[in-house]
Amino acid sequence: MLANLFKSSKLSSFNGGVHPPQHKLESTRAPISVLTIKNAQQVFVLPLRQHVGKVSKLLVNVGDHVLKGQLLANADGQMSAAVHAPTSGTIVSVQDQLIPHPSGLPDIAITLQADGEDRWVEHHAMDYRSVSKREVLERLREGGVVGLGGATFPSHVKLREEAKHPVDTLILNGAECEPFITCDDLLMRERAEEIVRGIEIMQYLLNTKECIIGIEDNKPEAAQAMRDAASKSQILIAVVVVPTVYPSGGARQLIKILTGKEAPSGKRSTDIGIQCFNVATAYTVHRLVNHGEPVISRIVTVTGKVARPGNYDVPLGLAVGELVALAGGAVENTEYIMGGPMMGFTLPSNHVPVVKAMNCIIVGKPEIFPEPPPAMPCIRCARCADACPVSLQPQELYWFAKSDNFEKARDYKLFDCIECGCCTYVCPSNIPLVQYYRYAKSEIIALDKAKQAADIARERNEFRLHRIEREKQERAQKHAQKAAGAKTESAKLEAAPADAATKAEEAKKAALAAAIERAKVQKAEIAPKNTEEVSPQIQADIAAIEARRAEAGLAEVAPQDENN
Amino acid sequence: MNRSPYITQAPSVTTIMLKVLLALLPGIAAYVWIFGGGILVTLTLASITALASEAILLKWRDRPIKPFLMDGSALVTAWLLALALPPLAPWWLVVVGTLFAIVIAKQLYGGLGYNPFNPAMIGYAVLLISFPAIMTKWPAPLLLAQTPLGFSDQLHFIFAGALPNGVLVDAITSATPLDYLKTQLGLHHQVQAITQAPIFGVLGGKGGEWVTGAYLLGGLYLIQQRIISWHLPSAFLAALALMAGVFYLLDPAHFANPAFHLLSGATMLCAFFIITDPISGPTTPLGKLIFAAGIGILTYLIRVYGGYPDGVAFSVLLFNIAVPLIDAYTQPRVYGHAK
């Protein structure tokens, strides 16, 4: 009945969007090819930060021999994720290495040299219905499950049932709206049943009433496979085909299309009873819970200037260059894009490792994507506003960002920008609008932080002045008392009230200190206005923004730690 | 450079401007047919003046000359001003108006993208205030002139101000229908009687209504090509027609019917080519409706009650001033925000 309801219900839509050339056919002709490790000398590099949140806690030492699937670094608290060995071998180093990050900055990573045996650590399935939900979530946390749509938000955090925000609707994102990327498409075509098993676990954990899979209509085979698999499930899963329009795969955009509802700005989608996951995440949940296999591989689309474009099931940590070479592409004298052409970034090196966030590698960036002509002034044609999926006024934001008018930019909802690139895509003047917004966002965050620091300093100074003044008064009082005591015999009698006065003074001091402490805590809570209490997707987006900002050398990497 | 998106799909500024020029061609053709080839001289004069002054100003301002000359925006300004001027305007009038539009209204404000006022309308308004006599004297359509001028005669007149022997200025010029209507109404004649004069055509001014119709055609092409949005012309024409309709219904003897207003003067040129200048106009959909409707209402009021026969230029300029305000108060609701 519910399924019928979905089929007959009309889909909603968001403002604007664009229709870039798909370039998906190139990489969908061949089935997923699974790469196995046979080479005993194969090296894997595993960054300890492949997710949004705290860097994982290292559990191994250089020289340790580890087995495939063995925990190498555990999640540090709730907002973190674990890292596992993609094969059996020896830990050869733990040091800063170049990682696939737009900043081009090195980060701490484990290097593992394979022994060629590819021997599994002892692992077992979990009957998730017979244990507590806490245990299942704990397994997800230890299994390194993160959002594989690119956001890499720890999934166990999103799968926690919250009494305050019950989740009625579970949305599985199979839209995959970015051009070139087809890893979710192929996964749905080939492993639909396993995705559905994962969805069942998610549905069980969140206790949702309904479950919808959204797939763009350019993936009919995937939609059919998912429909077939869903029909065999004990739970009701509706497969809804949505029109192909970029960015329908943005979580908030997909929520709008499928439910007609909008996740409130700056809040999580769970505020309106909706939780959204990528289909590939559901697949890893299934592998982990029903087979005991942690996240040690992922499917990566390799496309562009390669002889064999397609999708590869790659062990994490393999060098991108080696993967590209396997696909028949150049490793030297070219550049790779990680992600799609709308939101991706140029890899700082072709030898960085495959990580959980890597959904696509486009080989041959300079040849496929020539530099745009020089930017012209904005002619206020408002094509950007027509294309903006969030209904912003990009031409105004551009003006404010360019003139460093950050307050205005904030007023015009700069922080609702999802950096999808639609505005730049349609700009007749070739203005790199998204770059301006990233700049303005980072400046605003930096200014907020500076202001916060200044406030604390001012408070400290005020307190110090207050203390000096008080001590002066106390001294004066003491002097007066001494003088009085020397003159009169009754000095002793007055000692008691003087003591009382000092005590009262101390109590005052303590109260003041406490008040200042409270104020500080409040400040700290208020300060990152735009980034706290946002949905996991937005958190993840922020992480991505931070990353890009770091690339521009504008702020330190990953301040999200403090927001979570 | 590491910047996503790596792909774009947009017409260049040059393409947009060239399409605007292309859309003006039917109107120009009709113009030549009705008023003779003199307008081609005016257009050429304005174009050369615009490009030359733009190049000089760009050089003075230390800006790259080639990309900004190639963007076509100076030509659009020049053509719109030329088409708004009387067809046989003396050469210096064209040059002064164009210079004012390009140098003062555009380049001194920062060039392409930075002009708060429509440059062509600034040029027009300056000329109208400074030289009202010349600006309101329009040559009669060729088919009405007692002695129609040939192209060489028109050329001679534009550059030397001299007419062939025996031809008087009054023989080739006449008031425009809007002007004539206004003066005759001032003399307590009734609309029905006034519109019997030969300068009136079926709906608008004789001949002029064809030019207007051709502008409409070009305008529809621009909408089809998504160069301009439908909001602006629709709201402008609707507001003008509504104003004219209400007054006409109340007192048909003293107010011309809506069709006359739609097909007279600069109505269509204004609807599709002038108020659609994106730089000096609003950007929000609702803002565009308000802006255009406001100009429509004001144009009507100036035509009927103002001191000038047509009100397009001043209406546009007045509403250019209001654009930041209109934009600020018509922001669409952002995703995830309550209205």
Side-chain angles (χ1 to χ4, degrees), chain A residues 169-201:
Chain A
T169 309
L170 175 64
I171 289 180
L172 269 295
N173 191 341
E176 201 168 54
C177 59
E178 269 244 29
F180 288 90
I181 310 176
T182 58
C183 56
D184 290 347
D185 184 3
L186 268 283
L187 183 78
M188 288 190 285
R189 288 191 203 186
E190 297 184 16
R191 304 180 191 175
E193 300 228 351
E194 296 178 274
I195 295 172
V196 168
R197 293 290 91 75
I199 296 172
E200 286 165 359
I201 298 167

Short mmCIF file of all heavy atoms in Angstrom, two decimals, chain A residues 169-201:
data_model
loop_
_atom_site.label_atom_id
_atom_site.label_comp_id
_atom_site.label_asym_id
_atom_site.label_seq_id
_atom_site.Cartn_x
_atom_site.Cartn_y
_atom_site.Cartn_z
N THR A 169 11.17 8.53 7.98
CA THR A 169 11.49 8.20 6.59
C THR A 169 12.98 7.98 6.42
O THR A 169 13.78 8.84 6.79
CB THR A 169 11.04 9.35 5.67
OG1 THR A 169 9.69 9.66 5.97
CG2 THR A 169 11.15 8.95 4.20
N LEU A 170 13.31 6.84 5.86
CA LEU A 170 14.71 6.54 5.54
C LEU A 170 14.86 6.71 4.03
O LEU A 170 14.13 6.10 3.26
CB LEU A 170 15.03 5.11 5.96
CG LEU A 170 16.41 4.57 5.60
CD1 LEU A 170 17.50 5.35 6.33
CD2 LEU A 170 16.51 3.09 5.94
N ILE A 171 15.77 7.59 3.64
CA ILE A 171 15.98 7.81 2.21
C ILE A 171 17.34 7.27 1.80
O ILE A 171 18.35 7.55 2.44
CB ILE A 171 15.86 9.31 1.87
CG1 ILE A 171 14.39 9.75 2.00
CG2 ILE A 171 16.36 9.59 0.45
CD1 ILE A 171 14.16 11.21 1.70
N LEU A 172 17.32 6.47 0.77
CA LEU A 172 18.57 5.94 0.22
C LEU A 172 18.88 6.70 -1.05
O LEU A 172 18.06 6.76 -1.97
CB LEU A 172 18.44 4.44 -0.06
CG LEU A 172 18.87 3.53 1.09
CD1 LEU A 172 20.36 3.68 1.35
CD2 LEU A 172 18.10 3.81 2.37
N ASN A 173 20.06 7.28 -1.08
CA ASN A 173 20.43 8.16 -2.19
C ASN A 173 21.15 7.37 -3.27
O ASN A 173 22.31 6.99 -3.12
CB ASN A 173 21.32 9.28 -1.64
CG ASN A 173 21.55 10.38 -2.64
OD1 ASN A 173 21.36 10.19 -3.84
ND2 ASN A 173 21.97 11.54 -2.16
N GLY A 174 20.43 7.13 -4.35
CA GLY A 174 21.05 6.46 -5.50
C GLY A 174 20.96 7.36 -6.71
O GLY A 174 20.95 6.90 -7.85
N ALA A 175 20.87 8.66 -6.45
CA ALA A 175 20.66 9.62 -7.54
C ALA A 175 21.91 9.74 -8.41
O ALA A 175 21.84 9.75 -9.62
CB ALA A 175 20.27 10.98 -6.99
N GLU A 176 23.04 9.82 -7.75
CA GLU A 176 24.34 9.95 -8.43
C GLU A 176 24.25 10.94 -9.59
O GLU A 176 24.34 10.58 -10.77
CB GLU A 176 24.81 8.59 -8.94
CG GLU A 176 26.31 8.55 -9.17
CD GLU A 176 26.80 7.12 -9.39
OE1 GLU A 176 26.28 6.44 -10.26
OE2 GLU A 176 27.73 6.71 -8.67
N CYS A 177 24.08 12.22 -9.23
CA CYS A 177 23.77 13.22 -10.24
C CYS A 177 25.00 13.81 -10.93
O CYS A 177 24.88 14.44 -11.98
CB CYS A 177 22.96 14.35 -9.60
SG CYS A 177 23.83 15.16 -8.25
N GLU A 178 26.18 13.63 -10.34
CA GLU A 178 27.37 14.24 -10.97
C GLU A 178 27.73 13.52 -12.25
O GLU A 178 27.71 12.28 -12.30
CB GLU A 178 28.56 14.16 -9.99
CG GLU A 178 28.67 15.39 -9.12
CD GLU A 178 29.96 16.19 -9.37
OE1 GLU A 178 30.47 16.15 -10.49
OE2 GLU A 178 30.41 16.84 -8.42
N PRO A 179 28.10 14.27 -13.28
CA PRO A 179 28.55 13.63 -14.51
C PRO A 179 29.76 12.73 -14.24
O PRO A 179 30.45 12.90 -13.24
CB PRO A 179 28.95 14.81 -15.39
CG PRO A 179 28.21 15.98 -14.85
CD PRO A 179 28.06 15.72 -13.39
N PHE A 180 30.00 11.79 -15.13
CA PHE A 180 31.15 10.87 -15.10
C PHE A 180 31.06 9.77 -14.05
O PHE A 180 31.53 8.67 -14.27
CB PHE A 180 32.49 11.63 -14.91
CG PHE A 180 32.94 12.42 -16.10
CD1 PHE A 180 32.56 13.75 -16.25
CD2 PHE A 180 33.72 11.84 -17.09
CE1 PHE A 180 32.97 14.49 -17.36
CE2 PHE A 180 34.14 12.57 -18.19
CZ PHE A 180 33.76 13.90 -18.32
N ILE A 181 30.47 10.05 -12.89
CA ILE A 181 30.51 9.07 -11.79
C ILE A 181 29.43 8.01 -11.98
O ILE A 181 28.27 8.33 -12.23
CB ILE A 181 30.31 9.77 -10.43
CG1 ILE A 181 31.26 10.95 -10.31
CG2 ILE A 181 30.52 8.78 -9.29
CD1 ILE A 181 31.08 11.75 -9.04
N THR A 182 29.83 6.72 -11.88
CA THR A 182 28.87 5.64 -12.07
C THR A 182 29.03 4.53 -11.04
O THR A 182 28.49 3.44 -11.22
CB THR A 182 29.02 5.02 -13.48
OG1 THR A 182 30.37 4.54 -13.62
CG2 THR A 182 28.72 6.02 -14.57
N CYS A 183 29.77 4.77 -9.96
CA CYS A 183 30.04 3.68 -9.02
C CYS A 183 28.77 3.21 -8.31
O CYS A 183 28.58 2.00 -8.11
CB CYS A 183 31.12 4.08 -8.03
SG CYS A 183 30.79 5.57 -7.09
N ASP A 184 27.88 4.14 -7.98
CA ASP A 184 26.63 3.72 -7.33
C ASP A 184 25.72 3.00 -8.33
O ASP A 184 25.02 2.05 -7.99
CB ASP A 184 25.89 4.94 -6.75
CG ASP A 184 26.63 5.52 -5.56
OD1 ASP A 184 27.54 4.85 -5.05
OD2 ASP A 184 26.31 6.65 -5.16
N ASP A 185 25.74 3.48 -9.57
CA ASP A 185 24.95 2.86 -10.63
C ASP A 185 25.30 1.37 -10.74
O ASP A 185 24.45 0.48 -10.65
CB ASP A 185 25.21 3.59 -11.95
CG ASP A 185 24.35 3.08 -13.09
OD1 ASP A 185 23.51 2.19 -12.85
OD2 ASP A 185 24.52 3.57 -14.23
N LEU A 186 26.59 1.10 -10.90
CA LEU A 186 27.04 -0.28 -11.07
C LEU A 186 26.80 -1.11 -9.82
O LEU A 186 26.42 -2.28 -9.89
CB LEU A 186 28.53 -0.29 -11.46
CG LEU A 186 28.86 -0.30 -12.95
CD1 LEU A 186 28.64 -1.71 -13.52
CD2 LEU A 186 28.01 0.69 -13.75
N LEU A 187 27.01 -0.48 -8.67
CA LEU A 187 26.77 -1.19 -7.41
C LEU A 187 25.30 -1.63 -7.32
O LEU A 187 25.00 -2.77 -6.96
CB LEU A 187 27.11 -0.29 -6.22
CG LEU A 187 26.98 -0.94 -4.85
CD1 LEU A 187 28.17 -1.85 -4.57
CD2 LEU A 187 26.84 0.10 -3.75
N MET A 188 24.39 -0.72 -7.70
CA MET A 188 22.97 -1.05 -7.63
C MET A 188 22.61 -2.12 -8.65
O MET A 188 21.81 -3.00 -8.40
CB MET A 188 22.14 0.22 -7.86
CG MET A 188 22.17 1.18 -6.69
SD MET A 188 20.98 2.53 -6.83
CE MET A 188 21.77 3.56 -8.06
N ARG A 189 23.23 -2.03 -9.84
CA ARG A 189 22.94 -3.05 -10.85
C ARG A 189 23.38 -4.43 -10.39
O ARG A 189 22.67 -5.41 -10.57
CB ARG A 189 23.71 -2.73 -12.14
CG ARG A 189 23.20 -1.54 -12.89
CD ARG A 189 23.87 -1.51 -14.25
NE ARG A 189 23.85 -0.15 -14.80
CZ ARG A 189 24.26 0.13 -16.02
NH1 ARG A 189 24.73 -0.82 -16.81
NH2 ARG A 189 24.22 1.38 -16.46
N GLU A 190 24.58 -4.50 -9.79
CA GLU A 190 25.18 -5.80 -9.53
C GLU A 190 24.96 -6.33 -8.11
O GLU A 190 25.00 -7.53 -7.89
CB GLU A 190 26.69 -5.74 -9.80
CG GLU A 190 27.00 -5.44 -11.26
CD GLU A 190 28.49 -5.49 -11.54
OE1 GLU A 190 29.24 -6.05 -10.73
OE2 GLU A 190 28.90 -4.96 -12.60
N ARG A 191 24.77 -5.41 -7.17
CA ARG A 191 24.69 -5.88 -5.78
C ARG A 191 23.44 -5.33 -5.09
O ARG A 191 23.49 -4.94 -3.91
CB ARG A 191 25.96 -5.48 -5.02
CG ARG A 191 27.21 -6.01 -5.70
CD ARG A 191 28.48 -5.61 -4.97
NE ARG A 191 29.65 -5.93 -5.79
CZ ARG A 191 30.90 -5.62 -5.47
NH1 ARG A 191 31.14 -4.97 -4.36
NH2 ARG A 191 31.90 -5.93 -6.27
N ALA A 192 22.34 -5.32 -5.82
CA ALA A 192 21.09 -4.74 -5.31
C ALA A 192 20.62 -5.44 -4.05
O ALA A 192 20.22 -4.80 -3.07
CB ALA A 192 20.03 -4.79 -6.39
N GLU A 193 20.68 -6.79 -4.05
CA GLU A 193 20.17 -7.53 -2.90
C GLU A 193 20.96 -7.21 -1.65
O GLU A 193 20.41 -7.11 -0.55
CB GLU A 193 20.25 -9.03 -3.19
CG GLU A 193 19.43 -9.42 -4.41
CD GLU A 193 18.54 -10.61 -4.16
OE1 GLU A 193 18.67 -11.23 -3.10
OE2 GLU A 193 17.70 -10.90 -5.04
N GLU A 194 22.26 -7.05 -1.81
CA GLU A 194 23.09 -6.76 -0.64
C GLU A 194 22.83 -5.34 -0.12
O GLU A 194 22.86 -5.11 1.08
CB GLU A 194 24.57 -6.95 -1.00
CG GLU A 194 24.86 -8.40 -1.36
CD GLU A 194 26.30 -8.61 -1.78
OE1 GLU A 194 26.57 -8.42 -2.97
OE2 GLU A 194 27.13 -8.96 -0.93
N ILE A 195 22.55 -4.43 -1.05
CA ILE A 195 22.17 -3.07 -0.62
C ILE A 195 20.89 -3.16 0.21
O ILE A 195 20.78 -2.55 1.28
CB ILE A 195 21.97 -2.14 -1.83
CG1 ILE A 195 23.30 -1.93 -2.56
CG2 ILE A 195 21.40 -0.79 -1.38
CD1 ILE A 195 23.17 -1.17 -3.87
N VAL A 196 19.94 -3.94 -0.30
CA VAL A 196 18.65 -4.07 0.41
C VAL A 196 18.85 -4.67 1.80
O VAL A 196 18.24 -4.23 2.77
CB VAL A 196 17.65 -4.88 -0.44
CG1 VAL A 196 16.45 -5.28 0.39
CG2 VAL A 196 17.22 -4.09 -1.66
N ARG A 197 19.77 -5.66 1.91
CA ARG A 197 20.05 -6.22 3.24
C ARG A 197 20.55 -5.11 4.17
O ARG A 197 20.16 -5.05 5.34
CB ARG A 197 21.11 -7.32 3.14
CG ARG A 197 20.75 -8.60 2.40
CD ARG A 197 19.73 -9.45 3.14
NE ARG A 197 18.38 -9.09 2.72
CZ ARG A 197 17.84 -9.44 1.54
NH1 ARG A 197 18.51 -10.16 0.68
NH2 ARG A 197 16.61 -9.07 1.22
N GLY A 198 21.40 -4.25 3.64
CA GLY A 198 21.91 -3.14 4.46
C GLY A 198 20.81 -2.18 4.83
O GLY A 198 20.75 -1.68 5.97
N ILE A 199 19.92 -1.91 3.90
CA ILE A 199 18.79 -1.00 4.18
C ILE A 199 17.93 -1.59 5.30
O ILE A 199 17.47 -0.86 6.18
CB ILE A 199 17.94 -0.78 2.90
CG1 ILE A 199 18.77 -0.08 1.83
CG2 ILE A 199 16.70 0.02 3.23
CD1 ILE A 199 18.08 0.00 0.48
N GLU A 200 17.76 -2.91 5.26
CA GLU A 200 16.95 -3.55 6.31
C GLU A 200 17.56 -3.30 7.69
O GLU A 200 16.83 -3.04 8.66
CB GLU A 200 16.86 -5.06 6.04
CG GLU A 200 15.92 -5.38 4.88
CD GLU A 200 16.08 -6.81 4.37
OE1 GLU A 200 16.93 -7.54 4.89
OE2 GLU A 200 15.34 -7.16 3.45
N ILE A 201 18.89 -3.35 7.76
CA ILE A 201 19.56 -3.10 9.05
C ILE A 201 19.35 -1.64 9.46
O ILE A 201 19.02 -1.34 10.61
CB ILE A 201 21.06 -3.43 8.95
CG1 ILE A 201 21.26 -4.90 8.61
CG2 ILE A 201 21.78 -3.06 10.25
CD1 ILE A 201 22.66 -5.28 8.19
#
